[in-house]
Amino acid sequence: MLVTAGQRGDSPQFAAVLDAIRVPRTGPGRLRVRPLRVRGDRAYSSRANRAYPRKRGIRCTIPEPADQAANRKRRGKAGGRPPAFDREDYKAHAVECGINRLKVRHEVAHVKWESHEGRRHVLTPD
């Protein structure tokens, strides 16, 4: 788990989190450092977040936001082709459902933010 300041975005930490992932094997052997696929929501659709997994040979399923698609189409041929996206693999709530499953099993603490006098505090259940 990577913890950053409250005002920092999640997207810049994408590569660091991906580097820290270790996938268990079904049989004996050491943990894999390269997952088969990465799924993310529209917030992770930057070029850097798409290029990093591609460089490591990891497939990614990240939808393209409407504004990025419109800008690409507006540029015509110079806009390039749309990024690959597998609709069957991705469902709008897939990421949230995965996190919620972890929360239910108490593998990830539910984080609640409270703002008091301009400061943010993280409250987690004991």
Side-chain angles (χ1 to χ4, degrees):
M1 179 178 286
L2 183 65
V3 179
T4 61
Q7 73 272 16
R8 302 264 325 254
D10 295 340
S11 186
Q13 305 306 318
F14 183 76
V17 170
L18 200 55
D19 285 338
I21 289 177
R22 301 293 179 256
V23 182
R25 294 183 186 273
T26 54
R30 66 178 194 214
L31 300 175
R32 290 186 301 134
V33 294
R34 189 171 62 100
L36 297 175
R37 178 174 297 275
V38 173
R39 292 180 187 98
D41 58 5
R42 286 179 171 85
Y44 295 94
S45 67
S46 70
R47 280 192 187 123
N49 286 349
R50 289 182 187 276
Y52 187 74
R54 188 180 317 124
K55 182 174 71 173
R56 291 186 55 197
I58 301 170
R59 300 187 68 185
C60 70
T61 302
I62 302 172
E64 185 179 29
D67 63 333
Q68 287 180 4
N71 288 336
R72 183 179 40 76
K73 289 177 184 175
R74 178 180 51 78
R75 293 184 53 162
K77 284 187 175 184
R81 69 176 185 206
F85 180 69
D86 185 2
R87 287 187 189 274
E88 295 301 317
D89 183 53
Y90 181 86
K91 298 190 184 212
H93 63 283
V95 174
E96 288 80 10
C97 287
I99 292 171
N100 285 333
R101 264 184 261 136
L102 293 174
K103 286 180 185 176
V104 167
R105 291 188 277 170
H106 301 290
E107 292 178 18
V108 174
H110 177 72
V111 177
K112 179 181 174 185
W113 292 94
E114 277 195 4
S115 185
H116 181 65
E117 297 177 5
R119 296 182 192 151
R120 288 188 168 182
H121 303 282
V122 178
L123 302 175
T124 56
D126 291 333

